[in-house]
Amino acid sequence: MKLHPVGIIGSGKYVPERILTNQELEQMVETNDEWIVTRTGIRERRIAAPEQATSDLALKASLDAVAAAGITVEDIDLIIVATITPDMYFPSTACLLQEKLGAKRAAAFDLSAACSGFIYGLATASSMIASGMYKHVLVVGAECLSRITDYTDRNTCILFGDGAGAVVLGQVAEGRGFQSFQLGADGAGGELLKVCGGGSKVPASAESVEAKQHFIHMAGNDVFKFAVRIMGSAAEEALHKAGKTKEEIDLLVPHQANIRIIQSALHRLDLPEEKCMVNLDKYGNVSAASIPIALAEAVEQGRVKEGDCLVLVGFGGGLTWGASVLIW
Ligand code: UT7
């Protein structure tokens, strides 16, 4: 079977207006701007308005991506939303988004792979287009992490923010588009980063709320060590599969978790900082939305040119990781 080349034909992003600064966090927990900036690189993050849910952020990013792709919502065959903060258990956020967009022809489902979810979504969508099953797939990473963040826990509350990024995938010219995907998981590390309350194991109850089980719990330092190891190796494996070398990378678009994690990936890949998209100073860690927001912003800033070799790489809860090599 001949596979069609598949790439990103439009991208978009949306971040809420409300900015939560490090100075405000200093008033909430025992922390300070200097610690946050030196240990994470984050200066501020966005927080969704009370009336905004994940699908609302996803809608704005998706409308941008659809317009940039030069298609209409009627052209979308499938919507995949990668998120760990769905509007509700079900219907899926993808179905809620489908209705808001008016994308009547589209099938829709959510994908759960935490911060790696967007790359997992790209891999899924790209295979479906490559096989000829679909022509246009909307892949969204969208999160309202503020809704599951404990603002009395200084280990986590300084990190996370809200936002959404979206891309439309479609057929592209021969030699362009996705060249490889490298996905992985290690369920043995699941305990390191989780929200355990509200599922079938620990259903919501007064006790689960009291025990803060509906918030993110993280063994930060263990996740940090895993991230440093996996970001470089996942990117290298994706490059190898694509038959590319690290010297050929024009732009690295990493998951925006911590500047020190990104710097270690740059070191491993022998890349100068100019070849890396960083915007975590403004938005913090937005889980599945981090990579698509960074990508959309890189496109907005004119940092991505036709024919450029991009590497997208992320890691997250599960544990999971994913990397992709893409010719723009
Ligand atoms: O998308 C995936 C999600 N997660 C991540 O990517 C997280 C990865 N991990 C990290 O980014 C880092 O581990 C953190 C930023 C979370 C923490 O940095 P660290 O260098 O690993 O610090 P640590 O946890 O080893 O803590 C060092 C010290 C501790 O004090 P003691 O025990 O040495 O006295 C912490 O209590 O820093 C303290 N600390 C803080 N101090 C001021 C922890 N959080 C804060 C804080 N402000 N917000």
Side-chain angles (χ1 to χ4, degrees):
M1 185 175 74
K2 168 102 176 70
L3 295 181
H4 305 285
V6 181
I8 293 173
I9 61 167
S11 60
K13 74 165 210 298
Y14 171 75
V15 290
E17 278 170 33
R18 159 92 169 95
I19 294 172
L20 176 64
T21 62
N22 289 352
Q23 287 71 22
E24 284 174 88
L25 285 164
E26 286 177 3
Q27 310 304 313
M28 297 157 74
V29 288
E30 184 67 40
T31 189
N32 59 77
D33 176 56
E34 201 257 328
W35 191 95
I36 303 173
V37 173
T38 52
R39 304 307 289 169
T40 72
I42 301 167
R43 293 180 188 275
E44 54 190 48
R45 58 298 280 144
R46 299 300 177 103
I47 305 295
E51 67 279 9
Q52 286 179 315
T54 297
S55 66
D56 299 306
L57 313 191
L59 174 64
K60 289 178 186 270
S62 299
L63 287 171
D64 268 11
V66 168
I71 63 164
T72 70
V73 291
E74 302 281 344
D75 297 321
I76 302 170
D77 299 305
L78 170 67
I79 299 171
I80 301 177
V81 176
T83 186
I84 50 167
T85 47
D87 285 27
M88 55 189 84
Y89 260 118
F90 69 91
S92 68
T93 302
C95 282
L96 300 172
L97 176 62
Q98 186 242 24
E99 206 274 323
K100 286 179 182 179
L101 276 171
K104 294 198 172 59
R105 287 185 47 252
F109 68 88
D110 285 2
L111 188 155
S112 173
C115 307
S116 315
F118 181 71
I119 304 227
Y120 270 65
L122 293 179
T124 308
S126 135
S127 327
M128 287 168 145
I129 298 171
S131 71
M133 183 175 177
Y134 290 133
K135 267 184 91 170
H136 296 114
V137 181
L138 176 67
V139 182
V140 186
E143 304 284 7
C144 282
L145 294 176
S146 62
R147 304 282 154 77
I148 57 165
T149 296
D150 176 2
Y151 286 97
T152 66
D153 175 13
R154 70 174 183 174
N155 292 301
T156 53
C157 74
I158 56 151
L159 298 173
F160 300 113
D162 302 340
V167 293
V168 176
L169 265 54
Q171 285 184 27
V172 293
E174 211 62 55
R176 294 283 171 85
F178 296 104
Q179 308 296 304
S180 69
F181 284 101
Q182 172 68 26
L183 305 180
D186 177 10
E191 287 296 313
L192 300 179
L193 183 52
K194 63 179 183 180
V195 175
C196 63
S200 57
K201 193 173 164 77
V202 184
S205 65
E207 291 74 29
S208 71
V209 172
E210 176 69 24
K212 300 191 171 188
Q213 288 178 309
H214 301 272
F215 289 132
I216 298 171
H217 289 267
M218 182 178 73
N221 207 258
D222 292 327
V223 176
F224 185 94
K225 286 182 213 148
F226 154 72
V228 164
R229 183 168 51 79
I230 212 70
M231 290 275 273
S233 64
E236 281 177 355
E237 281 166 38
L239 283 165
H240 180 72
K241 277 189 184 174
K244 300 271 176 203
T245 63
K246 44 196 186 184
E247 289 75 26
E248 290 174 85
I249 301 174
D250 293 300
L251 189 69
L252 182 76
V253 185
H255 174 44
Q256 309 282 312
N258 185 315
I259 192 67
R260 292 183 292 137
I261 295 173
I262 293 176
Q263 281 162 349
S264 80
L266 287 177
H267 181 70
R268 169 116 175 223
L269 296 168
D270 292 322
L271 279 184
E273 280 182 15
E274 314 83 79
K275 289 198 172 181
C276 182
M277 185 63 201
V278 175
N279 62 5
L280 57 71
D281 50 322
K282 294 187 294 183
Y283 307 133
N285 180 345
V286 201
S287 190
S290 273
I291 293 175
I293 291 175
L295 180 64
E297 203 158 284
V299 171
E300 269 169 37
Q301 294 173 356
R303 291 186 64 179
V304 188
K305 296 181 296 300
E306 271 190 38
D308 276 358
C309 177
L310 271 60
V311 174
L312 317 182
V313 60
F315 67 92
L319 299 169
T320 54
W321 57 92
S324 178
V325 175
L326 162 71
I327 304 297
W328 196 257

